[in-house]
């Protein structure tokens, strides 16, 4: 099985793509500040999930990488807060993206709490 079949990865990837599209609407002066940060953190969620899955034969590494994914997901939420506060993101869109991010967080935590279901030998 590939990490790409993981529901958490798929949802995180979808969120990262939505964030990327959103960042294109930010002002040019935010290109290397807010845009870069929010794109990086949202993509890092996917990366950490993939790394965790590929290293699932090592339980501590699996958990550590999922903890990283969860942290990056929280950082993405922070940047969404900034985007809304700076009026680059309408409140309705923020609610949708926040909800998607919270779903990703729940899926990551499910993986952490149920490692055996993902091939981790406990």
């Amino acid at each position: 099985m590939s990490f790409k079949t993981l529901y958490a990865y798929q949802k995180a990837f979808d969120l990262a793509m939505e964030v990327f599209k959103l960042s294109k609407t930010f002002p040019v002066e935010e290109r290397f500040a807010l845009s870069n940060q929010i794109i990086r953190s949202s993509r890092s969620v996917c990366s950490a999930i993939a790394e965790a899955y590929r290293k699932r034969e090592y339980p501590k590494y699996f958990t550590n990488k999922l903890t990283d994914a969860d942290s990056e997901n929280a950082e993405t939420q922070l940047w969404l807060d900034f985007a809304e506060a700076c009026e680059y993101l309408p409140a309705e869109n923020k609610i949708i993206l926040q909800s998607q991010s919270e779903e990703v967080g729940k899926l990551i935590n499910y993986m952490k709490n149920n490692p055996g279901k993902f091939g981790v030998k406990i």
Side-chain angles (χ1 to χ4, degrees):
M1 194 164 106
S2 166
F3 67 86
K4 291 180 182 182
T5 63
L6 297 171
Y7 195 54
Y9 172 83
Q10 293 168 2
K11 288 295 192 176
F13 186 88
D14 291 345
L15 177 60
M17 291 307 299
E18 287 300 316
V19 164
F20 173 72
K21 291 173 192 170
L22 162 75
S23 72
K24 289 182 175 185
T25 67
F26 293 172
V28 175
E29 63 268 17
E30 290 288 4
R31 183 172 297 135
F32 297 107
L34 183 57
S35 295
N36 186 42
Q37 292 290 354
I38 197 168
I39 290 169
R40 184 201 53 74
S41 66
S42 65
R43 289 179 178 173
S44 291
V45 176
C46 301
S47 173
I49 292 170
E51 287 181 55
Y53 187 71
R54 296 303 291 171
K55 294 285 191 169
R56 63 192 181 280
E57 64 189 77
Y58 307 104
K60 288 181 182 178
Y61 192 87
F62 179 80
T63 301
N64 184 50
K65 291 313 291 182
L66 289 176
T67 299
D68 291 348
D70 195 41
S71 295
E72 292 293 342
N73 192 45
E75 184 179 340
T76 299
Q77 291 177 13
L78 167 78
W79 297 125
L80 289 171
D81 289 343
F82 274 108
E84 180 185 32
C86 293
E87 299 181 355
Y88 305 148
L89 176 64
E92 311 81 53
N93 293 25
K94 162 71 168 23
I95 291 168
I96 292 167
L97 294 171
Q98 179 74 29
S99 177
Q100 288 176 303
S101 180
E102 288 171 3
E103 181 181 8
V104 168
K106 289 176 185 176
L107 293 167
I108 290 167
N109 282 314
Y110 179 82
M111 290 179 72
K112 281 173 50 177
N113 294 330
N114 299 281
K117 293 186 177 190
F118 299 94
V120 177
K121 296 200 180 2
I122 304 168

